[in-house]
């Protein structure tokens, strides 16, 4: 198993990302996660945001990872 860890800065906030790869036969399972401690003021604003915000970016990133990893 292999993983890539990263820290992402969003102004005063820092996110900790992880991309974990697990071989499964002739394919690879990918787990992409991010953890962030969010200050209270931003948590209050998050109540008004859509639960799907950011999901398209993750989906696009996973699709790009699949394309790049399947190149000869």
């Amino acid at each position: 198993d292999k993983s890539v860890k990263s820290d992402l800065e969003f102004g005063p906030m820092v996110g900790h990302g992880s991309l974990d790869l697990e071989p499964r036969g002739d394919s690879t399972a990918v787990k992409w996660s991010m953890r962030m401690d969010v200050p209270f003021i931003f948590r209050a604003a998050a109540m008004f945001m859509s639960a799907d915000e950011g999901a398209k970016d993750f989906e696009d990133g996973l699709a790009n990872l699949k394309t790049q990893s399947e190149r000869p």
Side-chain angles (χ1 to χ4, degrees):
D1 297 0
K2 297 185 182 215
S3 65
V4 175
K5 308 284 185 203
S6 63
D7 291 332
L8 307 165
E9 293 183 22
F10 299 97
M13 301 176 290
V14 177
H16 305 283
S18 175
L19 184 66
D20 301 314
L21 309 172
E22 179 186 334
R24 291 193 179 166
D26 62 346
S27 64
T28 302
V30 177
K31 178 181 174 187
W32 192 352
S33 61
M34 188 167 86
R35 183 183 60 80
M36 179 182 297
D37 294 324
V38 180
F40 176 76
I41 190 77
F42 293 106
R43 281 186 262 161
M47 293 186 329
F48 301 100
M49 296 172 67
S50 167
D52 293 332
E53 280 189 54
K56 182 176 181 334
D57 292 332
F58 281 103
E59 292 298 325
D60 290 348
L62 288 172
N64 187 42
L65 176 65
K66 182 178 188 313
T67 300
Q68 295 299 316
S69 65
E70 291 177 345
R71 291 173 63 181

